[in-house]
Amino acid sequence: MNEPMENDGLTDREREALHEVELGVENLHRAHGHLVSFHHSTGRAMDHLAVAEELLREAGHEELANRLRDDHLPRGVVPPCDGEGATAGRWSYDILEKFQETFLEDVVAFGDQVHDEVADGRRHVAERRQEAAWKERAQME
């Protein structure tokens, strides 16, 4: 059944495709939220480690404090990508920004294009159809 519905002018396949694009974009927004949480949690952890460096130094443990200062605090949360030539890894803000500026932005723009070209910019067409059917059913009973 791939005939257009009278109420939205879309075929079942178009409606399904739109819905899958929406779900993909929505899940990327959820992933973005997780990256923001990762960034904030990492920052809080680093703040605690910076305090620990000071306390270790005050307690006479210079070597441990120096390891925190020199090896752990400046290094980043993931190693650099191959071919970057960097010695320090990527910080959480860099991962978050790269995700926002590249993949997320590109896929959101693609989702907008799909909605513009297939559904004249309308969003949530599957949900609107379901809402109308449920309201109609409630009125009939």
Side-chain angles (χ1 to χ4, degrees):
M1 177 172 181
N2 201 23
E3 295 299 314
M5 288 284 302
E6 290 179 7
N7 59 350
D8 65 13
L10 299 171
T11 66
D12 288 342
R13 284 290 177 247
E14 288 172 324
R15 201 174 299 102
E16 290 170 18
L18 286 164
H19 188 63
E20 290 299 324
V21 168
E22 286 170 350
L23 292 176
V25 170
E26 289 171 359
N27 275 279
L28 284 177
H29 282 294
R30 291 182 73 182
H32 175 254
H34 292 299
L35 281 176
V36 170
S37 293
F38 168 73
H39 168 58
H40 290 170
S41 294
T42 301
R44 283 191 296 275
M46 299 305 276
D47 290 342
H48 286 292
L49 291 172
V51 170
E53 176 200 341
E54 291 177 31
L55 295 172
L56 285 167
R57 197 171 307 287
E58 290 172 9
H61 298 282
E62 290 288 322
E63 186 176 321
L64 292 172
N66 290 343
R67 282 185 56 204
L68 263 175
R69 180 195 66 207
D70 299 339
D71 298 338
H72 300 296
L73 289 174
R75 79 182 216 188
V77 296
V78 296
C81 293
D82 293 338
E84 282 186 328
T87 55
R90 290 176 174 243
W91 282 49
S92 62
Y93 74 86
D94 186 41
I95 296 166
L96 175 62
E97 287 177 0
K98 293 294 185 235
F99 180 79
Q100 291 168 328
E101 296 166 358
T102 58
F103 192 65
L104 180 62
E105 188 175 294
D106 292 346
V107 174
V108 168
F110 173 77
D112 291 343
Q113 179 184 3
V114 169
H115 282 88
D116 289 345
E117 291 183 19
V118 176
D120 297 322
R122 290 174 289 163
R123 299 201 170 308
H124 295 100
V125 294
E127 289 89 342
R128 291 180 198 285
R129 184 173 187 226
Q130 183 180 42
E131 176 188 12
W134 285 356
K135 286 180 178 179
E136 183 179 324
R137 185 182 73 186
Q139 291 173 355
M140 290 175 39
E141 293 180 10

